[in-house]
DNA sequence: TTTAATGCAAACCCTTTGCATGAAC
DNA sequence: GTTCATGCAAAGGGTTTGCATTAAA
């Protein structure tokens, strides 16, 4: 079965620091935050714990988007769906939803555009259960 | 002023190959496609041209999401806005839009979720014009 | 002829991993 | 005592860059 997890000092501090802020820090920013309390922690431990915590749903890992950039020969704006298993991307046509930006005001930002992103499982991954 | 651009053989073939497919290829996949017609092209040229073409709007570079992953101590699903200049991420509260997934059918995929993503310029970048 | 673009290779950045050691449980 | 997690350092994957050379315009 899946191995159990242990609430180590490191994992606890990482979670606490992350809960303190709303800045959506990167892994190295978390590293800087946590190092002030645990100076000997390693970056590898940060990465491993962020993954564990995201896996268990205690934190959110943003950009479900894959690591590699992808390109589209069709420059017309349209929605995309990404396979959460393999990263494959497909087009989503006829999304009958428009996000109104007029008067949209987000604290600390000037909104320029919005889009809908879909997640899913592609047929190839589906059959490779 | 901005330097002019030249329609090189390489750039032309990259654009043509990208227009041929709907697979949203990664840079190395474009490399493989193009290499069949221009065997001596380099991966660096692929990257440089994909950027030029995206800049000029002839193609789309997906995942406006940044390169680094970001983490959120608040695991409640909520929308995010990303600064297209510096990558900073903020929360978007009270987005009064729900994307209905029931009956949603996308060719080649089983849809599992959807979210709205906002792009913008953060105040810090705004003032650093 | 001028200068943007190329090919090549090295450098870069972020992330992951192997391994011996340490600490939850 | 068992085994999951750590620290460290090296390796990995994707992308960018410096430089001499080539080729658009």
């Amino acid at each position: 079965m899946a191995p159990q997890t242990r609430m180590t000092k490191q994992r606890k501090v990482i979670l606490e620091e992350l809960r303190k802020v709303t800045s959506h820090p990167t892994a190295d920013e978390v590293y800087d935050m946590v190092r002030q309390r645990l100076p000997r922690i390693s970056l590898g431990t940060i990465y491993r714990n962020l993954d564990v915590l995201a896996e268990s749903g205690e934190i959110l890992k943003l950009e479900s988007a894959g690591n590699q950039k992808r390109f589209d020969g069709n420059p017309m704006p349209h929605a995309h769906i990404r396979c959460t298993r393999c990263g494959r991307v497909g087009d989503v046509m006829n999304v009958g939803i428009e996000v109104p930006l007029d008067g949209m005001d987000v604290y600390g930002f000037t909104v320029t555009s919005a889009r809908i992103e879909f997640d899913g499982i592609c047929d190839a991954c589906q059959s490779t259960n």
Side-chain angles (χ1 to χ4, degrees), chain A residues 8-124:
Chain A
T8 61
K9 195 171 356 130
Q10 290 87 342
R11 186 165 301 164
K12 186 164 162 291
V13 173
I14 289 170
L15 184 53
E16 285 172 3
E17 292 301 313
L18 205 42
R19 288 258 159 89
K20 274 188 196 162
V21 299
T22 60
S23 57
H24 308 84
T26 58
D28 56 291
E29 287 167 348
V30 173
Y31 183 41
D32 288 341
M33 291 155 56
V34 170
R35 227 178 345 173
Q36 300 190 17
R37 293 175 57 187
L38 301 174
R40 298 192 50 72
I41 198 172
S42 77
L43 188 53
T45 296
I46 300 288
Y47 275 103
R48 280 182 289 230
N49 276 299
L50 287 173
D51 276 347
V52 170
L53 291 168
E55 198 81 20
S56 71
E58 294 175 275
I59 66 172
L60 240 46
K61 188 179 201 168
L62 303 192
E63 295 160 39
S64 66
N67 304 317
Q68 268 177 293
K69 291 248 179 303
R70 288 181 174 269
F71 299 87
D72 193 334
N74 172 14
M76 255 193 59
H78 57 285
H80 292 107
I81 182 168
R82 176 181 312 275
C83 176
T84 51
R85 293 212 190 134
C86 72
R88 189 181 272 104
V89 171
D91 292 312
V92 180
M93 301 309 186
N94 308 316
V95 182
I97 294 174
E98 282 282 316
V99 181
L101 292 182
D102 291 347
M104 186 89 200
D105 192 16
V106 177
Y107 183 73
F109 287 81
T110 302
V111 185
T112 54
S113 70
R115 77 203 107 80
I116 299 177
E117 297 204 350
F118 293 86
D119 293 324
I121 309 288
C122 75
D123 292 351

